[in-house]
């Protein structure tokens, strides 16, 4: 059997199993198993041996059971970082990249004292030696790590209540050679209580309404951690808790950025206003959905 034949048969099997985008997933899993680039695979269409066929079959069976593609492959790209993921940690989504990009822009507008390059590997992000950032509900660490890579002289802290998520985040820091992030286990601000004030706080908190969890795709509801999804009865529990305390952890000119769920912008803005924030901006994603809220004192 040749490689393209097994892609076709795998796609047919996934489609019968009710997997969306069956052909795309089959192709990605076969190429992952073969360790081959897509163009080379389609040019050469090599014969595959029995051991590779068995490996492919194991991966396809996992996907047919609903296991997310990213868990099977073991990693996902996030703004050029290779982020390890697996059961027990939320899979980073493309919309979260928008949160990071807006956070980077925000840092650029803050007139913090520059710091000379630390090494030849100094990045374009600039040398913000006094810059401190806190990432809440960090999960895989993708937000904190992307920010840390961009501002290598800054000091970042990231918290998560899940010990398993913290292990993934620490491994992702090691894999990507990022050393200026400290990952701390604990709920929201508790690990940094009475520790310091921050220039920037980022958060992609759980924001799905509890009653909606059962209606999510099986890849999400049966595999990704419910604790990273469930935002309470109206999906706003974490926004309320974070915003009620955030001002006490921000420097005078600091701000906080959230990822938002669909239709939540107005409610979160009201929570921010009641919590004393005045400079509030809501940004839309490429689909025209209110996706990021930025609030300053």
């Amino acid at each position: 059997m040749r490689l393209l034949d097994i892609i076709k048969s795998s796609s047919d099997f996934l489609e019968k199993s009710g997997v969306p985008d069956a052909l795309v997933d089959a192709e990605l899993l076969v190429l992952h198993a073969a360790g081959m680039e897509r163009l080379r695979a389609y040019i050469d269409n090599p014969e595959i041996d029995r051991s590779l066929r068995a490996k492919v079959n194991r991966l396809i069976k996992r996907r047919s059971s609903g296991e997310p593609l990213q868990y099977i492959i073991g990693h996902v790209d996030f703004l050029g970082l290779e982020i390890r993921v697996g059961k027990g940690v939320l899979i980073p989504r493309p919309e979260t990249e928008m949160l990071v990009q807006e956070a980077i822009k925000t840092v650029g507008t803050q007139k913090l004292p520059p710091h000379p390059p630390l090494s030849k590997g100094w990045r374009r992000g600039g040398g913000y030696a006094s810059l401190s950032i806190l990432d809440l509900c960090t999960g895989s660490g993708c937000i904190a790590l992307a920010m840390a890579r961009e501002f290598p002289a800054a000091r970042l802290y990231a918290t998560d209540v899940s010990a398993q998520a913290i292990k993934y985040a620490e491994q992702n820091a090691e894999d990507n050679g990022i050393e200026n992030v400290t990952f701390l286990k604990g709920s929201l601000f508790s690990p940094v209580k009475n520790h310091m004030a921050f220039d920037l706080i980022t958060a992609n908190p759980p924001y799905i309404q509890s009653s909606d969890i059962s209606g999510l795709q099986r890849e999400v509801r049966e595999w990704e951690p419910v604790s990273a999804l469930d935002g309470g009865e109206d999906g706003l529990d974490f926004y309320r808790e974070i915003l009620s305390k955030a001002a006490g952890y921000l420097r005078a000119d600091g701000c906080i950025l959230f990822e938002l769920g669909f239709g939540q912008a107005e409610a979160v803005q009201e929570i921010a206003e009641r919590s004393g924030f005045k400079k509030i901006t809501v940004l839309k994603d490429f689909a025209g959905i209110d996706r990021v809220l930025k609030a300053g004192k």
Side-chain angles (χ1 to χ4, degrees):
M1 179 179 284
R2 292 189 175 274
L3 188 137
L4 297 185
D5 295 324
I6 199 168
I7 289 177
K8 177 63 167 61
S9 62
S10 298
S11 174
D12 291 343
F13 182 79
L14 291 180
E15 188 172 3
K16 290 177 183 177
S17 301
V19 174
D21 301 318
L23 177 57
V24 173
D25 286 10
E27 183 181 271
L28 287 170
L29 289 171
V30 172
L31 295 179
H32 172 70
M36 185 174 294
E37 294 182 357
R38 186 174 188 272
L39 180 60
R40 179 51 55 191
Y42 277 85
I43 291 174
D44 294 348
N45 191 21
E47 289 277 357
I48 62 170
D49 58 28
R50 184 175 298 176
S51 64
L52 178 55
R53 194 182 314 168
K55 182 178 180 181
V56 167
N57 288 340
R58 288 194 296 271
L59 300 184
I60 294 298
K61 186 175 181 180
R62 289 171 63 183
R63 184 68 188 99
S64 70
S65 72
E67 184 174 356
L69 177 72
Q70 296 89 339
Y71 282 0
I72 299 170
I73 292 176
H75 61 82
V76 62
D77 179 84
F78 186 85
L79 291 172
L81 295 171
E82 187 172 286
I83 300 295
R84 288 196 195 195
V85 291
K87 195 165 187 181
V89 65
L90 193 71
I91 299 167
R93 267 64 172 184
E95 51 265 33
T96 304
E97 294 184 349
M98 180 182 173
L99 173 65
V100 174
Q101 290 163 343
E102 185 58 33
I104 290 169
K105 290 179 186 176
T106 299
V107 170
T109 65
Q110 293 178 328
K111 294 180 171 57
L112 298 171
H115 188 283
L118 298 181
S119 70
K120 292 180 180 179
W122 189 251
R123 287 183 49 80
R124 59 186 169 82
Y128 294 92
S130 65
L131 178 65
S132 60
I133 300 172
L134 174 64
D135 182 43
L136 303 173
C137 308
T138 197
S140 66
C142 60
I143 294 173
L145 293 171
M147 293 291 291
R149 180 191 59 181
E150 192 71 18
F151 302 106
R155 183 71 259 172
L156 287 95
Y157 296 83
T159 71
D160 200 288
V161 73
S162 166
Q164 194 167 6
I166 292 295
K167 288 181 180 179
Y168 272 103
E170 290 175 336
Q171 186 63 58
N172 283 324
E174 182 178 339
D175 290 348
N176 288 280
I178 295 173
E179 300 179 350
N180 56 324
V181 185
T182 300
F183 292 103
L184 301 167
K185 181 183 179 299
S187 178
L188 303 177
F189 295 103
S190 60
V192 295
K193 190 174 183 180
N194 302 321
H195 183 66
M196 64 189 300
F198 299 90
D199 298 289
L200 189 73
I201 298 173
T202 56
N204 179 18
Y207 55 64
I208 306 297
Q209 293 182 23
S210 300
S211 60
D212 290 342
I213 298 293
S214 62
L216 297 174
Q217 288 181 308
R218 66 172 178 166
E219 287 85 353
V220 178
R221 71 174 185 268
E222 294 179 6
W223 290 88
E224 297 194 68
V226 173
S227 61
L229 299 167
D230 193 340
E233 184 176 351
D234 61 359
L236 303 174
D237 284 1
F238 283 85
Y239 296 110
R240 293 190 188 92
E241 185 171 357
I242 291 170
L243 284 165
S244 70
K245 302 174 182 176
Y249 290 91
L250 283 171
R251 291 178 179 170
D253 59 348
C255 69
I256 183 166
L257 290 94
F258 288 104
E259 181 174 323
L260 301 170
F262 179 77
Q264 293 179 327
E266 184 176 348
V268 177
Q269 182 169 344
E270 290 177 359
I271 295 169
E273 290 170 350
R274 290 199 301 269
S275 301
F277 289 89
K278 303 183 185 304
K279 304 172 185 177
I280 301 173
T281 305
V282 175
L283 301 135
K284 297 182 183 296
D285 62 19
F286 291 117
I289 296 170
D290 291 330
R291 184 59 67 187
V292 172
L293 183 140
K294 178 168 67 173
K297 290 183 177 181

